[in-house]
Amino acid sequence: MTQALTERTTRELRDRTEMLLRGLGAVPPEPGSLPARTPITGGELASLPPSSIIDVDLAIGAADRAFREWRSVPAPQRAALVRRLAALLTEHQDELAELVTLEAGKITAEARGEVQEMIDICEFAIGLSRQLYGRTMPSERPGHRLMETWHPLGVVGVISAFNFPVAVWAWNTALALVCGDTVVWKPSETTPLTALACHTLLRRAAMEVGADPEVHQLIQGAAEVGTRLVDDPRVALVSATGSVRMGRTVAPRVAARFGRCLLELGGNNAAIVTPSADLDLAARAIVFAAAGTAGQRCTTMRRLIVHTSVVGPLLDRVAAAYRQLRVGNPLDEGVLVGPLINSQGYLGMQSALRRALEDGGELVCGGERVEGFGEDAFYVRPALVRMPAQTAVVREETFAPILYAMTYNDLDAAIELHNGVPQGLSSSLFTQDQREAERFLAADGSDCGIANINIGTSGAEIGGAFGGEKETGGGRESGSDSWKAYMRRATNTVNYSTELPLAQGIRFE
């Protein structure tokens, strides 16, 4: 693509972005020093002024004041706001999905799927608003009732990453709102426009149902903005999604002020393929999990541990599929792999491939840059690398489409290899042997927060709690009982007798 053609395409995308923002009710921002670039061409879609430290303080203060009223609104009434947000997301699904594609580079199907996740978590949260259950426990003292109740926690700070620019925000925000919390959102500085659109829709929903729009605040900018949010004692919970390096910074700062953290950090996800596996099914699952979103998911499959008896046929299938994957403009029909987010992603991928080859790896296919999209756009073919061992580079997370394949002979050794990385997010086992499946799911099997049988490592549903162990951070978002992270628990004892017996039979007379 010539420079002139790249510039013309960027202008067209810029005009389209402005049209989408207006259609979503968001006034295009005034120019500022925070650029919003599209990975499709590498050009600038818009720029906007970043939040100042004063802006951050004002946003937290507004959220804190709104919390004083919002916490007393009955939870089913709070759900009215989330219900209206879900309706607006459904109405504008196509426009918001296209904005995700323009700003994050996802193919259309994945972008629409991400917006659908937002709608799904809103529906989950609406039902949850009538199920914030506590327990009643038997008291050892006669004439006493012992129980627990759950109360709104406070201001929730949400820090999200570029690869899921809207879904992760919705996971946190929908649950936080029905739990009675208010939200201050700091999105990735790489995807400020999708954040502006979502913030606008939520504010509109609040006004339409008579809720206080101040329950949600948006701050934009780089690290110093996030640091101010993390350090503020008015922020009861910081839910941060990003790299392990980011988590190592956030966690001690929040702990220093005795705040709460919910961390969703790195993943280095693997699949074990056993001799009994359905290889055609496994290959399809592996290709999507490893190449989808150009390898830029925290649940991307990065390691493949295959029994020696089936490694040849399986890698032949995966390599054949890789060679057929259409890499290109994510707005084009039939494209399955879009661009990397920026040059740093590309350089990181090339560095990892060089290290893998230096460690004795064999490049089966892929890894090269796809030209023709301009010098500032970074499209690559997903890489399949056969490794002799799990070397240092394999144990690291490279946020790009590299799949390292290794072999095993004994399932116990395969599980040990699988668990032998610092991260612990998602995992898979492909087998038709029930014993092997149960072994993988047992306490001494996969050490990840997500363990799957005969599906890939990505594509989690909102009904189950999402998160991982070890350097992944230990947080849980979305479904199951993850709502408890957004609330505080109180243990209550009610004495309805005329006596005052003490616990443990103590007498004090």
Side-chain angles (χ1 to χ4, degrees), residues 311 315-316 319 323 353-366 383-389 394 402-406:
V311 66
L315 294 191
D316 287 346
R323 294 185 180 104
L353 287 174
R354 283 194 298 271
R355 291 174 60 195
L357 298 182
E358 289 169 1
D359 289 342
E362 173 194 352
L363 181 63
V364 178
C365 64
L384 176 61
V385 183
R386 189 161 178 178
M387 296 297 294
V394 179
I402 303 176
L403 180 61
Y404 300 109
M406 298 164 284

mmCIF file of all heavy atoms in Angstrom, residues 311 315-316 319 323 353-366 383-389 394 402-406:
data_model
loop_
_atom_site.group_PDB
_atom_site.id
_atom_site.type_symbol
_atom_site.label_atom_id
_atom_site.label_comp_id
_atom_site.label_asym_id
_atom_site.label_seq_id
_atom_site.Cartn_x
_atom_site.Cartn_y
_atom_site.Cartn_z
ATOM 1 N N VAL A 311 1.907 -36.413 17.206
ATOM 2 C CA VAL A 311 2.399 -35.067 16.950
ATOM 3 C C VAL A 311 2.482 -34.759 15.458
ATOM 4 O O VAL A 311 2.138 -33.649 15.018
ATOM 5 C CB VAL A 311 3.759 -34.838 17.647
ATOM 6 C CG1 VAL A 311 4.856 -35.725 17.060
ATOM 7 C CG2 VAL A 311 4.154 -33.363 17.580
ATOM 8 N N LEU A 315 0.258 -31.673 13.941
ATOM 9 C CA LEU A 315 0.934 -30.476 13.452
ATOM 10 C C LEU A 315 0.721 -30.281 11.961
ATOM 11 O O LEU A 315 0.660 -29.141 11.489
ATOM 12 C CB LEU A 315 2.425 -30.527 13.787
ATOM 13 C CG LEU A 315 2.794 -30.481 15.270
ATOM 14 C CD1 LEU A 315 4.295 -30.259 15.439
ATOM 15 C CD2 LEU A 315 2.028 -29.383 16.003
ATOM 16 N N ASP A 316 0.575 -31.363 11.207
ATOM 17 C CA ASP A 316 0.250 -31.243 9.783
ATOM 18 C C ASP A 316 -1.090 -30.543 9.607
ATOM 19 O O ASP A 316 -1.233 -29.663 8.745
ATOM 20 C CB ASP A 316 0.212 -32.616 9.112
ATOM 21 C CG ASP A 316 1.596 -33.222 8.910
ATOM 22 O OD1 ASP A 316 2.589 -32.478 9.038
ATOM 23 O OD2 ASP A 316 1.678 -34.437 8.639
ATOM 24 N N ALA A 319 -0.697 -26.775 10.749
ATOM 25 C CA ALA A 319 0.085 -26.010 9.764
ATOM 26 C C ALA A 319 -0.724 -25.770 8.494
ATOM 27 O O ALA A 319 -0.683 -24.669 7.914
ATOM 28 C CB ALA A 319 1.384 -26.743 9.441
ATOM 29 N N ARG A 323 -1.747 -22.004 7.058
ATOM 30 C CA ARG A 323 -1.399 -21.507 5.726
ATOM 31 C C ARG A 323 -2.621 -20.992 4.966
ATOM 32 O O ARG A 323 -2.488 -20.230 4.007
ATOM 33 C CB ARG A 323 -0.688 -22.608 4.930
ATOM 34 C CG ARG A 323 0.678 -22.993 5.508
ATOM 35 C CD ARG A 323 1.416 -23.993 4.640
ATOM 36 N NE ARG A 323 2.713 -24.337 5.217
ATOM 37 C CZ ARG A 323 2.968 -25.481 5.848
ATOM 38 N NH1 ARG A 323 2.018 -26.410 5.967
ATOM 39 N NH2 ARG A 323 4.171 -25.721 6.352
ATOM 40 N N LEU A 353 10.568 -15.040 18.415
ATOM 41 C CA LEU A 353 10.871 -16.052 17.399
ATOM 42 C C LEU A 353 12.372 -16.265 17.260
ATOM 43 O O LEU A 353 12.837 -17.414 17.135
ATOM 44 C CB LEU A 353 10.262 -15.646 16.057
ATOM 45 C CG LEU A 353 8.738 -15.777 15.938
ATOM 46 C CD1 LEU A 353 8.248 -15.198 14.625
ATOM 47 C CD2 LEU A 353 8.319 -17.245 16.069
ATOM 48 N N ARG A 354 13.134 -15.189 17.280
ATOM 49 C CA ARG A 354 14.597 -15.332 17.190
ATOM 50 C C ARG A 354 15.124 -16.139 18.374
ATOM 51 O O ARG A 354 15.971 -17.036 18.199
ATOM 52 C CB ARG A 354 15.252 -13.947 17.151
ATOM 53 C CG ARG A 354 15.156 -13.239 15.813
ATOM 54 C CD ARG A 354 16.108 -12.048 15.742
ATOM 55 N NE ARG A 354 15.786 -11.045 16.751
ATOM 56 C CZ ARG A 354 14.927 -10.044 16.560
ATOM 57 N NH1 ARG A 354 14.282 -9.930 15.409
ATOM 58 N NH2 ARG A 354 14.716 -9.159 17.519
ATOM 59 N N ARG A 355 14.655 -15.845 19.558
ATOM 60 C CA ARG A 355 15.110 -16.575 20.747
ATOM 61 C C ARG A 355 14.723 -18.041 20.666
ATOM 62 O O ARG A 355 15.497 -18.928 21.064
ATOM 63 C CB ARG A 355 14.531 -15.932 21.999
ATOM 64 C CG ARG A 355 15.099 -14.550 22.313
ATOM 65 C CD ARG A 355 14.361 -13.918 23.474
ATOM 66 N NE ARG A 355 14.470 -14.722 24.690
ATOM 67 C CZ ARG A 355 13.693 -14.552 25.759
ATOM 68 N NH1 ARG A 355 12.748 -13.627 25.754
ATOM 69 N NH2 ARG A 355 13.860 -15.318 26.832
ATOM 70 N N ALA A 356 13.517 -18.317 20.171
ATOM 71 C CA ALA A 356 13.073 -19.704 20.057
ATOM 72 C C ALA A 356 13.960 -20.494 19.100
ATOM 73 O O ALA A 356 14.341 -21.645 19.379
ATOM 74 C CB ALA A 356 11.617 -19.749 19.604
ATOM 75 N N LEU A 357 14.323 -19.889 17.991
ATOM 76 C CA LEU A 357 15.193 -20.570 17.026
ATOM 77 C C LEU A 357 16.593 -20.752 17.585
ATOM 78 O O LEU A 357 17.249 -21.780 17.340
ATOM 79 C CB LEU A 357 15.224 -19.789 15.716
ATOM 80 C CG LEU A 357 13.875 -19.655 14.977
ATOM 81 C CD1 LEU A 357 14.048 -18.897 13.669
ATOM 82 C CD2 LEU A 357 13.243 -21.027 14.731
ATOM 83 N N GLU A 358 17.061 -19.769 18.340
ATOM 84 C CA GLU A 358 18.365 -19.909 18.984
ATOM 85 C C GLU A 358 18.359 -21.046 20.007
ATOM 86 O O GLU A 358 19.406 -21.667 20.263
ATOM 87 C CB GLU A 358 18.740 -18.600 19.673
ATOM 88 C CG GLU A 358 19.093 -17.479 18.702
ATOM 89 C CD GLU A 358 19.197 -16.128 19.398
ATOM 90 O OE1 GLU A 358 19.003 -16.086 20.639
ATOM 91 O OE2 GLU A 358 19.470 -15.118 18.713
ATOM 92 N N ASP A 359 17.194 -21.326 20.593
ATOM 93 C CA ASP A 359 17.071 -22.415 21.570
ATOM 94 C C ASP A 359 16.862 -23.773 20.914
ATOM 95 O O ASP A 359 16.585 -24.761 21.602
ATOM 96 C CB ASP A 359 15.889 -22.135 22.510
ATOM 97 C CG ASP A 359 16.158 -20.986 23.472
ATOM 98 O OD1 ASP A 359 17.335 -20.635 23.657
ATOM 99 O OD2 ASP A 359 15.190 -20.449 24.041
ATOM 100 N N GLY A 360 16.969 -23.835 19.601
ATOM 101 C CA GLY A 360 16.818 -25.103 18.893
ATOM 102 C C GLY A 360 15.453 -25.337 18.320
ATOM 103 O O GLY A 360 15.150 -26.438 17.836
ATOM 104 N N GLY A 361 14.587 -24.324 18.344
ATOM 105 C CA GLY A 361 13.257 -24.465 17.782
ATOM 106 C C GLY A 361 13.277 -24.534 16.266
ATOM 107 O O GLY A 361 14.200 -24.038 15.605
ATOM 108 N N GLU A 362 12.226 -25.142 15.723
ATOM 109 C CA GLU A 362 12.073 -25.259 14.268
ATOM 110 C C GLU A 362 10.801 -24.523 13.866
ATOM 111 O O GLU A 362 9.710 -24.847 14.342
ATOM 112 C CB GLU A 362 11.980 -26.728 13.853
ATOM 113 C CG GLU A 362 11.659 -26.924 12.380
ATOM 114 C CD GLU A 362 11.233 -28.349 12.067
ATOM 115 O OE1 GLU A 362 11.327 -29.216 12.953
ATOM 116 O OE2 GLU A 362 10.775 -28.565 10.928
ATOM 117 N N LEU A 363 10.932 -23.520 12.997
ATOM 118 C CA LEU A 363 9.770 -22.783 12.530
ATOM 119 C C LEU A 363 9.043 -23.625 11.485
ATOM 120 O O LEU A 363 9.531 -23.824 10.379
ATOM 121 C CB LEU A 363 10.203 -21.437 11.934
ATOM 122 C CG LEU A 363 9.079 -20.536 11.421
ATOM 123 C CD1 LEU A 363 8.140 -20.127 12.551
ATOM 124 C CD2 LEU A 363 9.655 -19.302 10.730
ATOM 125 N N VAL A 364 7.873 -24.120 11.850
ATOM 126 C CA VAL A 364 7.095 -24.954 10.934
ATOM 127 C C VAL A 364 6.440 -24.098 9.867
ATOM 128 O O VAL A 364 6.447 -24.430 8.681
ATOM 129 C CB VAL A 364 6.039 -25.766 11.718
ATOM 130 C CG1 VAL A 364 5.188 -26.598 10.772
ATOM 131 C CG2 VAL A 364 6.709 -26.643 12.757
ATOM 132 N N CYS A 365 5.859 -22.966 10.282
ATOM 133 C CA CYS A 365 5.239 -22.056 9.321
ATOM 134 C C CYS A 365 4.942 -20.731 10.002
ATOM 135 O O CYS A 365 4.889 -20.640 11.235
ATOM 136 C CB CYS A 365 3.949 -22.642 8.726
ATOM 137 S SG CYS A 365 2.630 -22.898 9.928
ATOM 138 N N GLY A 366 4.751 -19.695 9.185
ATOM 139 C CA GLY A 366 4.310 -18.403 9.689
ATOM 140 C C GLY A 366 5.421 -17.564 10.282
ATOM 141 O O GLY A 366 6.609 -17.846 10.150
ATOM 142 N N ALA A 383 2.436 -17.955 13.780
ATOM 143 C CA ALA A 383 3.628 -18.806 13.711
ATOM 144 C C ALA A 383 3.426 -20.092 14.515
ATOM 145 O O ALA A 383 2.892 -20.069 15.632
ATOM 146 C CB ALA A 383 4.836 -18.052 14.246
ATOM 147 N N LEU A 384 3.872 -21.186 13.941
ATOM 148 C CA LEU A 384 3.912 -22.480 14.624
ATOM 149 C C LEU A 384 5.368 -22.895 14.726
ATOM 150 O O LEU A 384 6.061 -23.007 13.704
ATOM 151 C CB LEU A 384 3.111 -23.521 13.838
ATOM 152 C CG LEU A 384 3.140 -24.957 14.362
ATOM 153 C CD1 LEU A 384 2.569 -25.049 15.767
ATOM 154 C CD2 LEU A 384 2.382 -25.889 13.406
ATOM 155 N N VAL A 385 5.846 -23.099 15.961
ATOM 156 C CA VAL A 385 7.254 -23.398 16.204
ATOM 157 C C VAL A 385 7.346 -24.689 17.002
ATOM 158 O O VAL A 385 6.734 -24.803 18.080
ATOM 159 C CB VAL A 385 7.954 -22.264 16.983
ATOM 160 C CG1 VAL A 385 9.440 -22.578 17.148
ATOM 161 C CG2 VAL A 385 7.764 -20.929 16.289
ATOM 162 N N ARG A 386 8.085 -25.639 16.494
ATOM 163 C CA ARG A 386 8.301 -26.886 17.235
ATOM 164 C C ARG A 386 9.545 -26.734 18.109
ATOM 165 O O ARG A 386 10.618 -26.385 17.611
ATOM 166 C CB ARG A 386 8.458 -28.067 16.286
ATOM 167 C CG ARG A 386 8.475 -29.400 16.997
ATOM 168 C CD ARG A 386 8.171 -30.561 16.083
ATOM 169 N NE ARG A 386 8.239 -31.828 16.802
ATOM 170 C CZ ARG A 386 7.976 -33.002 16.267
ATOM 171 N NH1 ARG A 386 7.637 -33.088 14.980
ATOM 172 N NH2 ARG A 386 8.051 -34.098 16.988
ATOM 173 N N MET A 387 9.371 -26.950 19.409
ATOM 174 C CA MET A 387 10.444 -26.731 20.375
ATOM 175 C C MET A 387 10.930 -28.052 20.966
ATOM 176 O O MET A 387 10.128 -28.951 21.239
ATOM 177 C CB MET A 387 9.965 -25.831 21.511
ATOM 178 C CG MET A 387 9.590 -24.424 21.079
ATOM 179 S SD MET A 387 10.971 -23.482 20.407
ATOM 180 C CE MET A 387 12.020 -23.325 21.867
ATOM 181 N N PRO A 388 12.262 -28.161 21.214
ATOM 182 C CA PRO A 388 12.795 -29.384 21.828
ATOM 183 C C PRO A 388 12.534 -29.455 23.324
ATOM 184 O O PRO A 388 12.600 -30.529 23.921
ATOM 185 C CB PRO A 388 14.295 -29.288 21.538
ATOM 186 C CG PRO A 388 14.557 -27.808 21.468
ATOM 187 C CD PRO A 388 13.327 -27.212 20.849
ATOM 188 N N ALA A 389 12.242 -28.286 23.941
ATOM 189 C CA ALA A 389 12.020 -28.235 25.389
ATOM 190 C C ALA A 389 11.311 -26.927 25.711
ATOM 191 O O ALA A 389 11.165 -26.037 24.864
ATOM 192 C CB ALA A 389 13.357 -28.310 26.145
ATOM 193 N N VAL A 394 9.653 -19.791 25.995
ATOM 194 C CA VAL A 394 8.358 -20.475 26.005
ATOM 195 C C VAL A 394 7.627 -20.207 27.315
ATOM 196 O O VAL A 394 6.387 -20.133 27.345
ATOM 197 C CB VAL A 394 8.556 -21.985 25.785
ATOM 198 C CG1 VAL A 394 7.217 -22.720 25.827
ATOM 199 C CG2 VAL A 394 9.249 -22.249 24.461
ATOM 200 N N ILE A 402 2.085 -16.733 18.419
ATOM 201 C CA ILE A 402 3.127 -17.759 18.358
ATOM 202 C C ILE A 402 2.643 -18.959 19.145
ATOM 203 O O ILE A 402 2.266 -18.830 20.321
ATOM 204 C CB ILE A 402 4.455 -17.273 18.957
ATOM 205 C CG1 ILE A 402 4.953 -16.000 18.258
ATOM 206 C CG2 ILE A 402 5.511 -18.366 18.860
ATOM 207 C CD1 ILE A 402 6.217 -15.423 18.886
ATOM 208 N N LEU A 403 2.652 -20.120 18.520
ATOM 209 C CA LEU A 403 2.282 -21.368 19.186
ATOM 210 C C LEU A 403 3.502 -22.275 19.228
ATOM 211 O O LEU A 403 4.025 -22.686 18.186
ATOM 212 C CB LEU A 403 1.137 -22.054 18.440
ATOM 213 C CG LEU A 403 0.640 -23.374 19.033
ATOM 214 C CD1 LEU A 403 0.106 -23.183 20.454
ATOM 215 C CD2 LEU A 403 -0.435 -24.006 18.141
ATOM 216 N N TYR A 404 3.976 -22.584 20.445
ATOM 217 C CA TYR A 404 5.123 -23.461 20.632
ATOM 218 C C TYR A 404 4.624 -24.889 20.850
ATOM 219 O O TYR A 404 3.832 -25.146 21.765
ATOM 220 C CB TYR A 404 5.934 -23.022 21.849
ATOM 221 C CG TYR A 404 6.478 -21.622 21.778
ATOM 222 C CD1 TYR A 404 5.951 -20.610 22.594
ATOM 223 C CD2 TYR A 404 7.525 -21.294 20.921
ATOM 224 C CE1 TYR A 404 6.456 -19.313 22.552
ATOM 225 C CE2 TYR A 404 8.037 -20.003 20.870
ATOM 226 C CZ TYR A 404 7.490 -19.019 21.686
ATOM 227 O OH TYR A 404 7.980 -17.740 21.640
ATOM 228 N N ALA A 405 5.098 -25.812 20.027
ATOM 229 C CA ALA A 405 4.683 -27.213 20.127
ATOM 230 C C ALA A 405 5.806 -28.057 20.724
ATOM 231 O O ALA A 405 6.961 -27.966 20.298
ATOM 232 C CB ALA A 405 4.295 -27.751 18.753
ATOM 233 N N MET A 406 5.449 -28.886 21.727
ATOM 234 C CA MET A 406 6.391 -29.794 22.382
ATOM 235 C C MET A 406 5.743 -31.167 22.484
ATOM 236 O O MET A 406 4.532 -31.305 22.314
ATOM 237 C CB MET A 406 6.755 -29.251 23.770
ATOM 238 C CG MET A 406 7.456 -27.902 23.737
ATOM 239 S SD MET A 406 7.453 -27.061 25.350
ATOM 240 C CE MET A 406 5.766 -26.462 25.418
#
